[in-house]
Amino acid sequence: MTAPVCRPATKADIPLLQEAEALCFPRDPWSLAQLASHMDSAVGRAWIIEAEGALCAYLLASVIPPEGEVFRIATLPLYRQKGYARRLLSAFLADLPLCYLEVRASNLAARRLYESLGFIQTGVRPDYYQNPTEDACLYKKNDDTHIRL
Ligand SMILES: CC(C)(COP(=O)(O)OP(=O)(O)OC[C@H]1O[C@@H](n2cnc3c(N)ncnc32)[C@H](O)[C@@H]1OP(=O)(O)O)[C@@H](O)C(=O)NCCC(=O)NCCS
């Protein structure tokens, strides 16, 4: 297998991203229209890791400097636990002083990923998610090394 490549997603990737959403977030996948709207947004960011033409992992986020917010990060089941999500999120965080995200309380894999990259839990939003109803854990990463005095 050729080395996986990390690159910004384009509108041509939207159909594959939608298929990935259906696989990775079967309870609430983003639609084609939502993905298109995200890609059109001036603050929207979308990155993918692909290998041999296959979409392996992706990240959907927004940036309003100096802050970022992660909406989605997912690795296709076949490619999990190979470091792809860590690579995507690390690259997104590289020049970002402040980043927020929220995640289902039961999503331990994602929470471990976030905590391993320095995210701190700042709160809980009770019953935030539906289908099934579940709390959201709010996370923040504040990289003091970016502060310019
Ligand atoms: C969460 C998810 C993105 C992790 O992707 P991944 O590419 O497999 O993760 P990585 O291989 O980069 O792992 C990075 C770290 O995440 C944590 N992690 C990943 N999978 C884990 C698992 N099954 N159980 C526990 N921790 C896990 C570990 O801390 C891991 O570091 P380590 O390998 O040093 O132990 C993936 O499981 C996924 O796509 N889940 C479905 C979508 C989702 O829930 N996304 C998050 C909410 S938006």
Side-chain angles (χ1 to χ4, degrees):
M1 183 161 140
T2 55
V5 173
C6 184
R7 66 163 174 84
T10 70
K11 284 195 154 186
D13 297 311
I14 288 176
L16 274 182
L17 283 170
Q18 212 284 319
E19 285 177 26
E21 276 283 301
L23 268 177
C24 297
F25 299 98
R27 292 178 286 209
D28 57 349
W30 281 19
S31 65
L32 288 170
Q34 280 174 296
L35 288 163
S37 163
H38 180 78
M39 305 288 261
D40 279 339
S41 162
V43 300
R45 300 288 184 275
W47 287 84
I48 66 173
I49 292 181
E50 65 183 1
E52 297 183 340
L55 175 60
C56 303
Y58 63 98
L59 175 141
L60 303 174
S62 70
V63 174
I64 303 176
E67 296 181 15
E69 182 175 0
V70 176
F71 301 132
R72 296 291 216 204
I73 181 163
T75 300
L76 279 289
L78 192 60
Y79 303 98
R80 285 187 187 158
Q81 295 189 282
K82 297 177 187 293
Y84 289 169
R86 183 187 297 285
R87 181 173 164 189
L88 274 173
L89 192 51
S90 301
F92 179 67
L93 294 170
D95 296 314
L96 212 51
L98 193 54
C99 188
Y100 296 94
L101 57 80
E102 59 205 24
V103 61
R104 280 184 182 267
S106 66
N107 194 341
L108 297 184
R111 293 178 65 181
R112 292 209 175 110
L113 166 69
Y114 303 148
E115 288 164 10
S116 76
L117 287 172
F119 280 86
I120 306 287
Q121 188 177 341
T122 56
V124 173
R125 206 169 276 150
D127 296 341
Y128 177 72
Y129 293 107
Q130 306 303 314
N131 188 30
T133 302
E134 190 174 351
D135 295 350
C137 294
L138 312 182
Y139 279 89
K140 171 182 175 179
K141 179 173 162 66
N142 192 348
D143 187 349
D144 294 336
T145 60
H146 287 83
I147 293 173
R148 306 269 186 271
L149 297 176

